[in-house]
Structures are given as structure tokens and as C-alpha cells.
Amino acid sequence: MFVFTLCLFLWSWLSSIHGLEFRYHNSMEMEQYLKDINKTFPDITHLHSIGQSVEGRELWVLILGQHPREHRTGIPEFKYVGNMHGNEVVGRVLLLQLIDYLTSRYLRDPLVTRLLNSSRVHILPSMNPDGFESSARDCMYTVGRYNKNGVDLNRNFPDAFESNTDREREKEVRAVMDWLKTESFVLSANLHGGAVVASYPYDNSNGGGELQGGQSISPDDDVFIHLAKTYSYSHSEMHNSNSCSDSQDFTHGITNGYYWYPLPGGMQDYNYVWAQCLELTLEISCCKFPPEAQLPGLWEANKPALLAYMQQVHLGVKGVVTDSNGKPVQNAVVEVVGRRNLCPFRTDRNGEYYRLLLPGNYTITVTYPGHKTVHQAVRVPYGPAAFSALECNFCLQKSDYGSAFVPPPPSCSTPALEHSESGSDTLLPGVFTMLTLLLLQRLLD
């Protein structure tokens, strides 16, 4: 512990003098920086690759926290993703600066220390390194936006509102989809450029009940609006609504994604619908590839917002669902009454669940085949203030019906990664099946 503390002190002292240089680091420089950070702070960081780009560049993720190498029960997983569009480079710079800030201030700054002690933070600085390397230093044009295959990665994910499950997935998209299967992420944001606004789901619609007043409204719309406002009002300018002279006005500096423009195959909707992770798209600079002289100012404008948003991972309620023998129950459906999600939120392999909720009174319903449905009224406080969501655990009891018909666990399967011959595994039939199974289960309770 003494050696670790000494290393932290020396690195913090050096960082306070020099810090990470405000410039555009190429992929090799970024990789070396991440490796150096991991070597210097092995107790609070873990570096790994989630896959490769089309040209074979590693997609590096740095994990920060008290236990960076493994998930711990009750510790929520948070992530930031940058540089999805290769020519939108400010997010890549800011996430490297954020890494420098968090590591240099751990055990010195109370906010940073509590953030890293209470959550596990994953940072992917560049999802599209190939695009970055081919980018032109231009504010608005698209050179470098796409990956090596000329594909927009933010149009390549499965879409809940379209039958696009037979589309070929790019390597970078497949890597992220696989990544989401390995971690139970709770909250996320992906960083873009070309505007200054916080955008939230849904990005798309098929004209169903979600379409209201030109917006595509999710069941957690109140939470998304709160999250977007948290970022915009913690940002020095975003909440002013007209930060870019050539952009439309955004009230409070936020927008529903679909209301701004329909976006099929987007990453934030995929995170929310299929990975149970609430994600925002943060547009953080008017210019996509600004002069390096502007980078320090962009960091200062976004730094408090990046930190405040991370703290929101503690909204709502969390807990573990176990059976009568105390064993964790995987795939139990955990619903908030009045919020009908396209895919129900389910417990993970550890029996854990997380539901981001604003302060208030709610009823939580837990359903699992062969067991009695549990209903629990909860009063949710403002968790970020205490760096912890309300903890509410559930113990399920066997149903009295014993050997009677027991429907399988309700599911909303993640779309296949590989090319398929038909679109028969689209979302909508799965939703009807899920609702039918839930109805049967409740009739047996």
C-alpha cells in the first residue's frame, strides 16, 4: 500500500506540472499512453482490447476502479465511448484527459476517489481508429467519418424498430456487441462532434405508440431527460441551447434523438433496448476536428459534466434476486410498474439488477418461472448524493403449482452478430411472446 501511495503521489506531482499534452495523439501514441497508465496504476486500472478494427488496430478499453479486473456485487458498471466517427475527434481527446485526471487525483480529490470507489468505469477512447487515421482536419466535412469499409458505425447496430437483423455487422460493431455481453453496464455515453447538445433515446420509430408529438418516447423518458440535463447544465455552455452559430436551438441543450432526426441502427438505442444500459449521445463541439489550441478550453467546458454524468450511475434502485436456497437467480424479470420496456430488464449471471429511477415512490415486480411473483413498494432517494442507489434485494419462493406448466424465462434475445438469411428474429414477435409468458405466469401465481 505504501508503494502504491508513493507512486500516486509522484505521478500526481508530475501531472500537476506537465499533465497530458493537449494535442491529437495518433493510434500508436494513444496505445502507448494507455499502457503507461496501466503500468503506473496497476491497482486501479486494467487495460484490455475488446477486438480489432478492420485494419487490425486494437480497440483498447481502460477500466478504472477499486477492483478494475473483476465485477463486484453492488458496484455499477459505467462506460464512455469516443471517436465512433473517426473525424469527430474531441471525444477521443477528452477521454484521454479524463483518464489522466482520474488517475492523478485518486486518493487526493474526494469526488474522484468516491467515483472510483463506488463504480467501475470503462473508457474506450476510440471506437473507430481507422477512421481517425484517415481523417482530414476539417470542421464539418466527412473525410474519416466511416470505418475502413466505408460504413457509418452509428447506423450499423440492430434496430428495434426495423427489420435489419440480417445486416452484416462491421468488426468494430461486433466488438462492442460482444463487449456488452461480458459486462452488465448500467449507464453510458458516446461522444460525438459537430453540435453541442445531449441527445437521448429513442433515435428511431416505426410510427407506433412511442411516437408522440414528433418525439420517440421511451418508457424511461423522465430519466433520460434528467440525465441529459445533468450533462448540459454541468457543461459551461451546452444548456444555453445555441452554442453553435450554424446549429438549431436546443431547449436546455438537450433533444430527443428522433425529434432531431431519425437515426436507424444507432448505438444508444441498441444499448438501451438490448443491453439494459441507458446511453446518451453527447455532441460536445461545434467543430468536428478543431485546432489543437481549442482543446484545453473544450476540456474545461466538459470536465465537470463528464464527472457529474458518471455520478448518475447511482440513480434508482439495485439489488440481488436469490432463490429460497440463497442462490442468485439469473434472467428474473425485474419490472417497474408503469414502465413497459421493449425488452424487460433482467437479472444478470450474478442475480443482480439495476434500475435507474428518479426520486419517488415505485412498485417493483420480480417474475421468474416456477416461483411466486414478488411485488415490493419502494421509496427511492437521490442515490448520486450518497454514491449508491437504494439497495433492494428479493428472495423468491417456489410456486405452489410445483410440476404444473412452467413457461420458460421471458427473453428478448440479442440479435445475432453474423449475417442471417432472414429477418424472422426481429424484435416485435419476441415482445408478444414475452408478454404472453408473463400473463401465463401471473395467472399461475
Side-chain angles (χ1 to χ4, degrees):
M1 184 63 184
F2 172 76
V3 174
F4 173 55
T5 305
L6 180 61
C7 286
L8 276 175
F9 173 78
L10 291 175
W11 183 271
S12 300
W13 179 69
L14 290 172
S15 295
S16 66
I17 299 174
H18 302 289
L20 178 65
E21 188 177 359
F22 281 100
R23 65 178 179 85
Y24 296 115
H25 298 80
N26 64 34
S27 295
M28 291 182 63
E29 292 172 325
M30 182 183 71
E31 178 177 332
Q32 188 57 54
Y33 170 72
L34 293 173
K35 288 180 176 179
D36 288 344
I37 283 285
N38 185 221
K39 183 177 180 180
T40 305
F41 301 101
D43 291 327
I44 60 168
T45 66
H46 174 62
L47 181 65
H48 70 113
S49 172
I50 62 169
Q52 292 184 331
S53 67
V54 173
E55 291 189 316
R57 294 182 173 92
E58 300 293 339
L59 304 179
W60 292 108
V61 171
L62 187 76
I63 307 175
L64 304 98
Q66 229 180 0
H67 305 284
R69 290 168 184 77
E70 61 182 3
H71 173 76
R72 295 295 179 97
T73 300
I75 302 297
E77 307 285 343
F78 176 93
K79 66 180 168 71
Y80 274 132
V81 176
N83 203 206
M84 185 181 197
H85 292 144
N87 66 327
E88 297 174 15
V89 296
V90 175
R92 175 183 172 120
V93 172
L94 297 194
L95 291 183
L96 293 178
Q97 289 292 333
L98 180 62
I99 289 169
D100 183 70
Y101 186 87
L102 294 174
T103 52
S104 65
R105 284 162 176 75
Y106 183 66
L107 298 184
R108 295 175 59 234
D109 181 298
L111 173 60
V112 170
T113 302
R114 295 194 74 178
L115 282 173
L116 295 189
N117 284 350
S118 63
S119 60
R120 192 162 169 251
V121 179
H122 305 244
I123 298 179
L124 170 58
S126 182
M127 182 179 165
N128 186 4
D130 298 352
F132 174 83
E133 295 297 338
S134 67
S135 293
R137 296 199 174 197
D138 188 272
C139 268
M140 298 308 297
Y141 292 115
T142 61
V143 177
R145 175 185 178 91
Y146 310 109
N147 76 342
K148 180 62 177 178
N149 292 333
V151 176
D152 188 330
L153 300 181
N154 207 29
R155 307 294 189 278
N156 192 240
F157 282 84
D159 193 299
F161 301 103
E162 296 189 357
S163 300
N164 72 342
T165 54
D166 60 345
R167 182 181 299 173
E168 188 77 28
R169 307 295 164 201
E170 294 300 302
K171 285 189 68 175
E172 298 89 349
V173 169
R174 294 201 306 269
V176 170
M177 291 174 68
D178 284 339
W179 184 30
L180 296 181
K181 293 178 181 178
T182 66
E183 303 285 356
S184 298
F185 289 111
V186 177
L187 181 62
S188 173
N190 69 90
L191 280 58
H192 289 252
V196 177
V197 65
S199 176
Y200 57 90
Y202 293 124
D203 269 334
N204 204 7
S205 169
N206 58 9
E210 76 284 343
L211 193 58
Q212 302 174 30
Q215 300 189 52
S216 187
I217 305 298
S218 76
D220 295 293
D221 191 62
D222 59 336
V223 179
F224 277 121
I225 290 174
H226 166 80
L227 292 170
K229 285 185 175 180
T230 294
Y231 197 92
S232 71
Y233 277 91
S234 299
H235 188 281
S236 63
E237 298 179 7
M238 187 179 288
H239 58 278
N240 293 328
S241 79
N242 58 351
S243 301
C244 303
S245 59
D246 58 348
S247 177
Q248 70 184 78
D249 289 349
F250 298 103
T251 304
H252 301 296
I254 69 173
T255 185
N256 175 262
Y258 183 86
Y259 185 79
W260 188 11
Y261 59 88
L263 192 161
M267 184 166 69
Q268 75 173 6
D269 280 7
Y270 179 82
N271 268 267
Y272 175 52
V273 172
W274 277 296
Q276 305 183 174
C277 175
L278 276 67
E279 178 168 292
L280 298 188
T281 297
L282 301 174
E283 302 279 353
I284 55 174
S285 63
C286 300
C287 180
K288 295 181 179 181
F289 210 134
E292 290 178 331
Q294 295 181 15
L295 295 178
L298 288 166
W299 165 244
E300 291 302 324
N302 284 277
K303 177 179 66 177
L306 290 167
L307 297 172
Y309 186 74
M310 291 167 62
Q311 196 171 345
Q312 298 305 303
V313 77
H314 298 297
L315 279 174
V317 60
K318 65 182 180 181
V320 178
V321 178
T322 58
D323 63 18
S324 57
N325 296 317
K327 294 181 179 180
V329 175
Q330 184 176 3
N331 276 329
V333 173
V334 181
E335 294 181 291
V336 179
V337 173
R339 295 172 188 253
R340 179 68 70 181
N341 296 90
L342 288 179
C343 289
F345 278 58
R346 294 165 290 170
T347 54
D348 62 15
R349 58 185 175 274
N350 302 308
E352 282 185 278
Y353 75 92
Y354 292 84
R355 290 305 308 260
L356 298 185
L357 298 167
L358 300 185
N361 297 315
Y362 302 89
T363 298
I364 308 294
T365 299
V366 182
T367 308
Y368 188 70
H371 293 73
K372 296 179 180 179
T373 297
V374 177
H375 306 276
Q376 178 66 52
V378 295
R379 183 173 181 82
V380 176
Y382 183 64
F387 291 84
S388 178
L390 174 70
E391 186 172 351
C392 185
N393 300 320
F394 295 92
C395 181
L396 302 182
Q397 301 297 320
K398 286 280 190 180
S399 171
D400 294 335
Y401 293 94
S403 59
F405 168 72
V406 177
S411 65
C412 192
S413 301
T414 302
L417 291 176
E418 300 302 328
H419 181 84
S420 63
E421 296 301 322
S422 70
S424 60
D425 55 346
T426 53
L427 173 66
L428 199 56
V431 173
F432 285 128
T433 302
M434 178 267 294
L435 293 175
T436 301
L437 294 175
L438 282 174
L439 178 60
L440 288 171
Q441 174 65 36
R442 286 169 182 173
L443 289 173
L444 290 174
D445 288 339

